Amino acid sequence: MGRRFLLRFLKLHWFGYAVGVAFMFLASWIQTLFPRILGDTVDILKTAGFAPAGVYTQIGYLLGVAAATFGTTYVWRNLVIGGARRLECDLREALFDHFQVLSPSFYSRRKTGDLIAYAINDINAVRMMLGPATSQAINGVAVILFTVVAMARASDWRLTLLALLPLPFIVAFMLVVGRVVKKRFKRVQKTFATISDRVNENISGIRVIKAYAQEDEEVRRFERLNDRMVEANLAMVRVSSLLSPVIEACFTVSFVLNLILGGGRVLAGQITLGDFVAFNGYLVLLLKPVISIGQVINVVQRGMASLSRLDEILDVAPDVVDGGPVAAFPAHAGIAVRDLSFAYPGADREALSGIDLTIPAGRTLGIVGRTGSGKSTLVQLLMKMYNVEDGRILFGGTDLNDFRLDALRRGFGLVPQDNFLFSATVEENIRCFQGGYTPEQVAQAARDACIYDSLMALPDGLGTMLGERGVNLSGGQKQRISIARALIRDPEVLVLDDALSAVDTVTEGEILANLRRVRAGRTTLIIAHRISAVQEADEIVVLDAGRIVERGTHAELLAKGGPYREICDLQ
Amino acid sequence: MKSATSSSLRRLLSLNRPHAKKIALAAFFVLLVNGALLLQPYILKVVIDDFLTQHVAQQGLYSLPAMGILYFAVVVAAGFFSVAQVNLVNQIGQKIMRGLRTRVFRTIQLLPLKYLDRTSTGSLITRATNDVEALSDLYTDVLMSLFADAFLILGIIGAMLLIDVRLALVSLCVTPGMFAVIFLLRTKIKKNFQRVKRLIGRINGFLAENLSGMKLVQSFCAEKEKKAGFTGLNGEYFKSTLFQVRMNSVLRPLSDVFQNLTVALLLWYGMGRIGASTLEIGVLYAFTTYVKQFFSPVSDIADNYTTIQSAFVSADRIFELLDQAPTLEDLDAGLPLDRLRGDIEFRHVWFAYNDEDWVLKHVSFHVLPGETVAFVGETGAGKTTIISLVSAFYAAQKGEILVDGIPIGDIRKRDLRRNISVVLQDVFLFSETIGRNVSLNDEIDSEEIEDALKTSYAKVFVDFLPGGIDEPVMERGSTLSAGQRQLLSFARAIAHDPAVIVLDEATANIDTSTEGLIQKAIENVARDRTTLVIAHRLSTIRKADRIVVMRDGEVVETGDHESLMDRNGYYAEMVQGGESVGENPDDSPESSSGTRGAAAL
C-alpha cells in the first residue's frame, strides 16, 4: 500500500516533478559551462593586443551563467525537494488515518515507540530517498556526463580517461570506509542511549539509591559506561578522519596528471592554455557527484527498507469493522449477552466463557472479581473493541454486529481503568475534543463527578493544561475527570471500569449518589474491586476465571456466604 | 544570562588547561593544513605564468613534473596533519567530556532530596546527556573548525594581498556582501531548523499519546477530532519545512553566483592590466581559486554560530548544576556506627519543606529497639515526612532527632541509611534482574536473595518466572502487579538486614490474593527489628505495639489500638468513619515519591 500511495502521489503531482527534473538537467548543464568560459577568456587575454569587446562578451556569459544557475536551481529544488516534503506529510497523514482504524488487538502486539518510528523515521527515510537522494543522483549523473564530454572536447579522450582513473578508487574507498564509520557510529549511538537510560533510571530511582547508600557504586558503574562512550567515539573518529584526506589525495592524482601531461600539451601547442584551465575546472566539478555516490546509495537502501516496513504496517487490515447498517444506538435499550465466550488472539485460555447476562433497560449492574477474571474484557466486547465470535450480544434486540461501529460506540460512555487523559486542557478532556457542549454542560459534568471544585482551584480553572506541558493531577483527580468525560455524553450505557479505585470512600459515596440521580432510568455498569462501589446495584455478578460464579443483589450474595461474602470480609 | 555565559566561557576554557600542550600542537597542525591549502593555488599560478605563458626554461625542481609532484606532496602532507589534528582534538575533547559527565552524574547522585524535589527528572537527564553532548560537539567539531576557518579566511586574504594588493581589494569587494547574505541565510535556516525539530518533537508526542490512548479515542469516537489536531500539527510542520527548502534553494546556488560575480569582476578589472602587461594570467587564475576557497569557511562559521549559542546554553546549565557542589551530601562525614540498636526518638521536632510552612509541629515520640509503631492520620498529616527525616533526607529546623541516643546529624549518613531500610508505596524497580533488584550493588549472594524472597513471600511469584531470580525486570516492573512490586521491595529491605525498617503500606490497586501475602510479609519484616509503618490497614495497626495518631503535623494521640478506641477520640472517629484508615495514596500531595513517579500522565 505504501508503494501504491507513492504511485498515486506521483500521478497527482507528475507535472511538478517533470518540470523539476527538466530544470535539474538544465542546471547541471549550465554548471558545466563555467570552466569553458573561464578557459576561453584566458585564451583571449593571452593574445597580445586583444579586443576588450571579446572579454566583455565572456563577462556577459559569466553573469548569465550566474543568473541561470540561480534561477534553475531555485526552481528544481523547490519543486523536487519541496515535493518530497509534501509527500512526507501526506504519507504521515495517511499512516495516521490507518492507525486510527486499527483495532486494540493490533496495539497489544506493537510497542508505541516502534509505531512512532514508522511515522517519523521511516517516512523521513522515504522522503530522503525521493527528495535529496534522487535529485543528487540525477544531478550527479547529468553533471558527470556533461563534464566528461566537455573534458574530452577541451583536451582529448586519452587524458580524460587517465584523469578519471582515480575516481573508481575514490568510490570504492568511500564505500568501504563509509561502512566501517557507519558501524562505529551506531556503536556511539547505542552507548549514548545506554548512558541516557542509566541516568534516567538513576534519577527516577534516586530515593532507593539514597536509602540504601548506593551512590558510590552507582558512580563507579557510570564511569565504566562513560569509558565505553569515549572509546566508541575515538574509534569512530580514527576511521572517519581518514575519509576526506584520502579522497582528496586520490583526487589530486587526477589534478597532477593534468598539470604535468596537460601542461606538456600546452607547451607542445596541442591545446591552448584556456583548454588547460577549463580542464582543471571540470575536474573540480566532477569531485562533488563522485563523493556523493556512497551517500546516495546509503539513503536509497535505507529508503527502500523503510518503504517495505511502511508497506507492512499499511497492509494490516483492521480486525474490527462496521458490522451492519444500523446507524443509531437504540434508546432505553436493555443489554442481553448470550453464551458469550472469548479468548484474546494468541491466548490459549479463554478470558470469558459462557457468559449469560440480561441487563434490563435503566438498571445498574455491578461486576466484581479479582484481577484477570474477565471484567474489563466483557466491557471491551460490549463496545466491540474485539470481534465477538462465540455467542451474541444484543442491544434492544439488535445484534452488536448489525451496528455501524461509530453508532455502537456512541451508545457508550466509558470510564476506563487507566484514567487516560490527553495533554490538553481540562475542558477539552471532558469534552473529549468534541463540539456541541455548552460551558455549563462541562461544568455540570465536572460537578457530577465531584471534581469541579478542585478543578476550579487549578491555575486556569477548566482551561488548565494537563500533562507534560501542564499540571500533573493525582490519580484520584484524573479518575474523576474521566468520569466527567463519560457523563457529559449522557450515554445510553455508562460503564465504570474500576473507576473509583483512587478516590476516597467519602467521595466515592458522593459520586455514586450523583450517578443514581443523573443516571436514573439509564443503564449503568459498574466494575469494582471495592464492594462499596457496587453494593447498591440492581444486580451484582461475580466473575472468576472468565465465568460468572455468583449473581444476585448485595443482600442475597452476602447471605449466600460464597465468594462475594469472602471478598467483603477481606475489606 | 549574558554574564552567566561569559563566566561559563571562562570555565569552559579552564577545562582545557591540563591539555594546553596538546591543544597547542593541534593548533599548529591546523596552521600547517591551512598553509598547504593556500599553497595550492600558488603552485598553479607558477605553472601557468612561468611555464605555460612565459615558457621559462624548466630545469630540475623548477619544472612542470616537479611542480606536479610538489602539489601532490603538499596535499598528502596536509591530509596527514589533518588526520593527526582531528584525532588529537577528539582525544582531548572526549577526555574533558568524560570528566564533565562523571562530575554531573556524581553531583546528581549526591544532591539532597530538597533540591531533587524541585527539579524535574527530564531536565536532570538532559544535563548529563544532551547538554554534555552539545559541549562535546562544541569541542570536537566547532572550536577547532572555527579556529581553522578564521585562520583560513585571514590566510586567503593575506595570500591575495601578498600576491597583488589591488587585485585582492577587487576580489574582496564582493566578500562583505557575500558574508552578510550567507551569514543571514545560514542563521535563519538554522533557527528554522530548530523550529522544524521542535515541531517533529510535538508530532512525536502527539503520536505517542494517541497511540497509547487509541482505545479511548475509539471508544469515544473522537477519531475525526484527533485527526484534525494531527493535520494541524503536520501542516505546521510542512509549512516550516517548505520554508527550509526555499531558504536552501537560495543558499545552495549562491556560492556559484558569488564566485561567478567575483570572477566577472576580476576579469573586468584584470583585462586592462593584462593588456598593459602589469598582471599575469596565472595570478588572475589563482585568484579565482582563492575566491572559491573563501566560500566554505564563511558558510561554516555561520553554521556554527547557532551551535555555539546552544552549546553555551548547555554550558550554563551544566555549571549551574555543578555549582551545587557545596550542598552535596557527604555520606562519610560523622560518627561511624556499624550497627544501630534501633532506638529512635523525636524531641519537639518542627519541620517545613519551605520557609515557615510547618509540616511537622512539635512532634515527639520514642520508639524502642524492636518495637513496631504505626503512624496514622489523614492526607497531609505529616506521616511521610517523618520517614524522610528518619533517613536524614532532610534536617529538622527545630527540635532534635536522636538515633540510638545520638543526634541524627552527627551520625555518618552512609551508616545511618544502611541501617534503616525504607519501603515506599511507589516501588521503584531497576531494569536489572530480580536478584539484582534485591541485592542492588551490594554483595549479597543468591542464597541470601532466595531467603529474602522467601521471607517476603515474593518467592510465590518469582518462582513462576521463567528465569527465576535471574529474570530481568521489564520496563521498570510494569509487567508485575503493584502487589508483586511491593513484595519485591520487602525482599530488598530484608536482604539488607537493616536494624530499622520504615514502610509506607500500599493501599490501592492490590488484588485480594496478593493483599494477604503482603500482610504476612509485613509481619516477617517487622520481626526482630524496629519498625515504623505508615499504616492503612486495621490489621497492621492492631498488631503495632504503639500507634501515633497525627493530625495537621501534630501528634494528637498515642497508645495501642484498644486504649485509643477506649479514649473515643480522633482515632476512634477515623476507624469508625471509613474502612481504610488514613489517606488515599494517589490523592496525597505529600507523598513526594508520588510527585517524582507520577510525572507521566
Side-chain angles (χ1 to χ4, degrees):
Chain A
M1 218 198 107
R3 274 159 233 267
R4 236 182 303 143
F5 180 89
L6 279 187
L7 285 179
R8 213 172 43 222
F9 183 87
L10 288 177
K11 220 182 227 168
L12 207 65
H13 300 283
W14 70 270
F15 186 72
Y17 276 100
V19 174
V21 171
F23 269 85
M24 209 187 284
F25 274 108
L26 210 57
S28 310
W29 177 67
I30 292 169
Q31 249 181 304
T32 57
L33 293 179
F34 179 80
R36 186 72 261 166
I37 298 171
L38 193 62
D40 288 349
T41 320
V42 166
D43 279 343
I44 297 174
L45 290 175
K46 215 181 62 167
T47 45
F50 58 86
V55 183
Y56 283 131
T57 318
Q58 297 299 326
I59 291 177
Y61 285 155
L62 270 185
L63 295 178
V65 165
T69 305
F70 186 84
T72 49
T73 310
Y74 184 81
V75 170
W76 80 251
R77 284 192 62 92
N78 268 306
L79 286 173
V80 177
I81 309 274
R85 285 291 186 178
R86 182 184 306 279
L87 172 86
E88 175 197 353
C89 291
D90 285 4
L91 189 53
R92 190 175 291 123
E93 277 180 36
L95 185 64
F96 189 79
D97 280 336
H98 188 64
F99 277 153
Q100 287 207 328
V101 296
L102 288 174
S103 318
S105 57
F106 171 82
Y107 289 103
S108 61
R109 290 194 310 266
R110 301 283 192 151
K111 273 203 215 145
T112 308
D114 294 344
L115 294 177
I116 295 173
Y118 286 102
I120 297 191
N121 304 347
D122 285 317
I123 287 183
N124 231 336
V126 172
R127 195 248 320 157
M128 288 294 284
M129 171 174 75
L130 290 171
T134 306
S135 56
Q136 231 172 356
I138 297 177
N139 200 13
V141 169
V143 167
I144 290 176
L145 286 181
F146 289 130
T147 307
V148 170
V149 171
M151 278 167 90
R153 275 182 30 206
S155 185
D156 71 9
W157 281 109
R158 266 182 305 154
L159 188 57
T160 305
L161 287 179
L162 213 54
L164 294 179
L165 213 57
L167 298 186
F169 288 103
I170 295 182
V171 173
F173 175 77
M174 262 180 348
L175 292 182
V176 172
V177 172
R179 199 161 303 140
V180 178
V181 170
K182 210 165 94 183
K183 218 165 77 195
R184 298 195 175 182
F185 179 64
K186 263 202 189 128
R187 211 179 113 212
V188 170
Q189 278 182 313
K190 228 170 94 187
T191 323
F192 183 73
T194 318
I195 285 196
S196 293
D197 286 349
R198 177 66 59 81
V199 176
N200 191 333
E201 183 160 299
N202 224 282
I203 294 172
S204 309
I206 192 81
R207 277 177 172 262
V208 176
I209 289 164
K210 281 188 179 297
Y212 287 89
Q214 303 287 318
E215 290 92 337
D216 292 345
E217 190 51 42
E218 288 294 317
V219 170
R220 261 193 293 281
R221 259 157 46 104
F222 183 77
E223 275 179 330
R224 282 201 289 275
L225 261 187
N226 209 348
D227 284 343
R228 265 202 274 159
M229 175 86 183
V230 170
E231 204 187 293
N233 256 313
L234 291 180
M236 181 185 73
V237 170
R238 268 199 297 276
V239 185
S240 68
S241 62
L242 288 177
L243 211 52
S244 87
V246 171
I247 291 173
E248 204 141 320
C250 286
F251 180 70
T252 304
V253 172
S254 301
F255 207 76
V256 168
L257 280 175
N258 180 45
L259 209 65
I260 299 172
L261 300 178
R265 250 166 239 218
V266 175
L267 285 180
Q270 288 163 324
I271 57 171
T272 66
L273 180 59
D275 291 331
F276 171 82
V277 166
F279 198 86
N280 264 348
Y282 290 133
L283 275 177
V284 175
L285 276 183
L286 271 183
L287 186 59
K288 217 163 77 183
V290 169
I291 286 183
S292 63
I293 287 177
Q295 215 184 340
V296 168
I297 292 177
N298 257 335
V299 174
V300 170
Q301 276 175 343
R302 215 173 304 154
M304 290 309 289
S306 287
L307 197 58
S308 303
R309 275 162 53 89
L310 282 168
D311 266 346
E312 211 180 285
I313 283 285
L314 288 168
D315 286 341
V316 176
D319 284 347
V320 180
V321 290
D322 286 341
V326 180
F329 197 82
H332 299 288
I335 303 173
V337 177
R338 296 282 165 262
D339 196 24
L340 177 68
S341 296
F342 176 76
Y344 282 100
D348 40 358
R349 203 168 53 88
E350 285 191 333
L352 287 176
S353 347
I355 301 287
D356 264 298
L357 262 179
T358 306
I359 311 167
R363 295 301 174 82
T364 299
L365 176 76
I367 306 174
V368 294
R370 65 175 74 197
T371 317
S373 58
K375 304 183 301 282
S376 298
T377 307
L378 181 60
V379 173
Q380 311 242 20
L381 293 183
L382 288 177
M383 297 185 71
K384 204 178 169 187
M385 299 313 259
Y386 294 87
N387 284 317
V388 174
E389 270 143 29
D390 268 339
R392 293 182 71 191
I393 299 174
L394 303 158
F395 299 100
T398 312
D399 192 289
L400 167 114
N401 285 317
D402 292 338
F403 285 101
R404 263 176 40 190
L405 213 50
D406 64 327
L408 177 75
R409 289 179 185 163
R410 279 183 203 281
F412 284 85
L414 171 71
V415 187
Q417 215 170 3
D418 59 2
N419 329 315
F420 184 89
L421 295 181
F422 290 97
S423 321
T425 66
V426 171
E427 191 253 346
E428 282 169 321
N429 267 295
I430 293 180
R431 285 194 289 108
C432 201
F433 306 94
Q434 317 215 312
Y437 298 115
T438 64
E440 180 44 37
Q441 278 175 304
V442 174
Q444 188 54 45
R447 265 185 228 116
D448 290 337
C450 296
I451 185 71
Y452 186 73
D453 292 336
S454 32
L455 291 181
M456 292 319 278
L458 292 175
D460 296 312
L462 293 175
T464 306
M465 276 296 288
L466 300 181
E468 267 173 56
R469 283 173 299 135
V471 176
N472 277 315
L473 298 176
S474 73
Q477 289 170 318
K478 283 195 248 174
Q479 247 178 10
R480 279 173 279 165
I481 292 179
S482 27
I483 293 174
R485 177 174 60 194
L487 286 179
I488 197 170
R489 295 160 69 89
D490 193 23
E492 289 302 328
V493 183
L494 176 73
V495 181
L496 275 69
D497 188 356
D498 201 16
L500 295 164
S501 62
V503 298
D504 59 74
T505 36
V506 181
T507 317
E508 180 188 88
E510 278 175 46
I511 294 175
L512 288 170
N514 287 345
L515 285 184
R516 273 191 291 280
R517 183 169 48 78
V518 297
R519 297 296 298 169
R522 317 294 293 273
T523 312
T524 303
L525 269 67
I526 301 178
I527 294 174
H529 273 299
R530 247 186 276 166
I531 294 297
S532 53
V534 294
Q535 59 191 10
E536 310 255 352
D538 298 305
E539 190 185 14
I540 299 167
V541 295
V542 183
L543 282 179
D544 190 42
R547 291 178 186 280
I548 296 179
V549 290
E550 260 189 326
R551 59 175 93 207
T553 64
H554 179 67
E556 288 166 8
L557 289 172
L558 271 189
K560 255 192 196 167
Y564 184 81
R565 177 61 190 255
E566 248 173 67
I567 300 173
C568 277
D569 288 346
L570 263 172
Q571 289 181 359
Chain B
M1 184 71 202
K2 194 83 193 167
S3 65
T5 301
S6 75
S7 88
S8 291
L9 180 64
R10 219 170 312 127
R11 291 172 73 171
L12 272 178
L13 290 177
S14 77
L15 294 176
N16 289 318
R17 215 166 291 145
H19 311 283
K21 272 187 199 153
K22 279 187 176 174
I23 290 173
L25 187 62
F28 179 64
F29 286 162
V30 168
L31 297 188
L32 288 179
V33 172
N34 279 342
L37 220 52
L38 293 173
L39 204 56
Q40 291 166 23
Y42 191 78
I43 295 175
L44 278 180
K45 176 213 161 290
V46 170
V47 167
I48 292 176
D49 284 341
D50 295 7
F51 302 135
L52 302 186
T53 316
Q54 291 162 17
H55 304 290
V56 176
Q58 303 182 30
Q59 47 180 206
L61 286 179
Y62 187 59
S63 67
L64 211 50
M67 283 297 158
I69 290 163
L70 178 65
Y71 192 95
F72 185 72
V74 165
V75 171
V76 169
F80 177 77
F81 286 123
S82 126
V83 172
Q85 177 255 321
V86 170
N87 280 289
L88 196 58
V89 168
N90 265 283
Q91 272 168 23
I92 302 163
Q94 287 298 327
K95 223 176 243 169
I96 294 175
M97 290 312 128
R98 174 170 55 190
L100 210 53
R101 212 179 279 122
T102 304
R103 265 173 76 192
V104 169
F105 185 79
R106 214 186 124 70
T107 306
I108 293 174
Q109 283 299 272
L110 294 175
L111 277 173
L113 278 186
K114 207 163 126 185
Y115 183 92
L116 291 170
D117 283 344
R118 280 185 281 120
T119 323
S120 81
T121 314
S123 75
L124 285 177
I125 296 168
T126 312
R127 301 287 173 284
T129 53
N130 295 348
D131 282 339
V132 175
E133 215 50 27
L135 283 189
S136 173
D137 287 348
L138 182 76
Y139 265 91
T140 48
D141 300 340
V142 181
L143 282 187
M144 265 301 153
S145 83
L146 204 66
F147 175 71
D149 288 338
F151 178 79
L152 188 59
I153 290 175
L154 289 178
I156 293 171
I157 294 175
M160 291 200 296
L161 285 171
L162 216 63
I163 297 173
D164 190 312
V165 177
R166 277 183 293 167
L167 205 57
L169 291 177
V170 171
S171 318
L172 292 176
C173 278
V174 183
T175 40
M178 171 169 109
F179 228 121
V181 174
I182 292 173
F183 200 80
L184 205 80
L185 276 173
R186 276 278 172 185
T187 41
K188 231 182 184 166
I189 288 172
K190 207 60 198 264
K191 234 182 223 142
N192 188 63
F193 182 65
Q194 274 158 1
R195 198 179 125 77
V196 169
K197 257 187 9 196
R198 241 192 342 265
L199 280 167
I200 204 79
R202 279 178 61 195
I203 290 179
N204 196 322
F206 191 95
L207 279 168
E209 186 174 283
N210 275 272
L211 290 174
S212 50
M214 190 56 81
K215 236 184 208 173
L216 193 97
V217 172
Q218 290 178 346
S219 38
F220 278 76
C221 296
E223 289 98 337
K224 228 187 291 159
E225 288 78 6
K226 279 287 156 193
K227 175 68 194 299
F230 186 76
T231 309
L233 208 53
N234 202 29
E236 218 177 303
Y237 168 80
F238 177 54
K239 246 192 271 165
S240 43
T241 58
L242 270 195
F243 179 76
Q244 190 82 357
V245 171
R246 192 155 339 119
M247 286 288 127
N248 271 318
S249 303
V250 174
L251 182 73
R252 288 293 168 86
L254 216 57
S255 72
D256 285 343
V257 170
F258 274 115
Q259 269 170 46
N260 287 10
L261 278 182
T262 316
V263 171
L265 203 67
L266 281 173
L267 290 179
W268 173 76
Y269 167 79
M271 60 187 269
R273 281 182 57 193
I274 287 177
S277 294
T278 57
L279 183 69
E280 295 158 325
I281 293 178
V283 173
L284 201 60
Y285 181 72
F287 268 70
T288 62
T289 313
Y290 281 129
V291 167
K292 228 171 262 173
Q293 283 182 343
F294 222 94
F295 183 78
S296 87
V298 171
S299 160
D300 275 356
I301 289 178
D303 213 16
N304 287 335
Y305 178 67
T306 31
T307 313
I308 294 170
Q309 277 181 321
S310 62
F312 274 139
V313 174
S314 293
D316 281 348
R317 286 201 293 235
I318 288 178
F319 288 127
E320 191 198 314
L321 183 72
L322 293 180
D323 282 340
Q324 297 298 320
T327 68
L328 294 188
E329 290 187 317
D330 185 352
L331 295 175
D332 292 314
L335 198 65
L337 276 182
D338 194 36
R339 181 80 188 170
L340 293 184
R341 282 185 293 120
D343 180 297
I344 292 169
E345 187 179 2
F346 273 50
R347 277 192 199 157
H348 315 299
V349 170
W350 290 68
F351 176 77
Y353 288 99
N354 355 295
D355 298 337
E356 300 254 302
D357 210 352
W358 299 112
V359 180
L360 293 184
K361 290 175 259 185
H362 205 78
V363 170
S364 298
F365 58 84
H366 192 171
V367 186
L368 297 173
E371 266 192 326
T372 296
V373 173
F375 292 82
V376 296
E378 280 188 348
T379 306
K383 304 176 311 268
T384 316
T385 307
I386 288 181
I387 294 185
S388 302
L389 291 184
V390 170
S391 305
F393 285 144
Y394 301 90
Q397 277 96 339
K398 291 191 228 170
E400 259 187 315
I401 301 173
L402 302 173
V403 174
D404 285 6
I406 307 164
I408 194 165
D410 295 348
I411 303 174
R412 220 162 87 136
K413 278 205 176 68
R414 188 188 304 280
D415 294 344
L416 182 79
R417 291 183 186 162
R418 285 200 180 250
N419 271 291
I420 301 178
S421 281
V422 181
V423 177
L424 296 169
Q425 274 201 20
D426 186 15
V427 176
F428 188 87
L429 296 178
F430 296 90
S431 309
E432 308 265 359
T433 60
I434 297 268
R436 207 171 151 98
N437 263 293
V438 172
S439 67
L440 298 176
N441 294 310
D442 295 321
E443 277 174 31
I444 295 173
D445 62 36
S446 56
E447 211 168 297
E448 289 170 291
I449 293 173
E450 292 277 2
D451 278 348
L453 289 171
K454 204 189 280 166
T455 319
S456 69
Y457 290 94
K459 212 170 156 40
V460 173
F461 75 91
V462 170
D463 279 350
F464 278 102
L465 300 174
I469 64 167
D470 295 323
E471 177 81 3
V473 171
M474 305 301 281
E475 309 217 353
R476 305 239 174 103
S478 61
T479 50
L480 301 173
S481 77
Q484 292 171 332
R485 288 202 295 269
Q486 181 103 48
L487 293 181
L488 270 185
S489 76
F490 288 155
R492 183 189 281 162
I494 294 169
H496 286 84
D497 189 27
V500 179
I501 194 148
V502 182
L503 63 95
D504 194 355
E505 211 174 41
T507 51
N509 300 323
I510 291 191
D511 55 79
T512 33
S513 58
T514 321
E515 180 135 0
L517 293 180
I518 289 181
Q519 300 285 4
K520 287 197 269 181
I522 289 179
E523 280 171 45
N524 283 347
V525 172
R527 194 166 298 139
D528 302 329
R529 44 175 75 93
T530 310
T531 306
L532 276 60
V533 51
I534 294 181
H536 303 290
R537 283 183 198 76
L538 262 182
S539 56
T540 315
I541 295 167
R542 278 211 189 100
K543 283 185 190 115
D545 296 311
R546 214 135 27 90
I547 299 161
V548 176
V549 185
M550 301 200 56
R551 184 179 203 172
D552 297 332
E554 287 177 87
V555 175
V556 286
E557 290 171 41
T558 13
D560 61 13
H561 178 66
E562 276 73 28
S563 70
L564 286 173
M565 288 307 278
D566 288 345
R567 238 173 109 166
N568 209 9
Y570 180 59
Y571 176 77
E573 194 184 307
M574 273 201 301
V575 170
Q576 281 144 12
E579 49 203 75
S580 73
V581 184
E583 93 276 33
N584 208 294
D586 278 339
D587 263 350
S588 147
E590 75 158 341
S591 75
S592 44
S593 56
T595 57
R596 325 213 95 247
L601 204 118

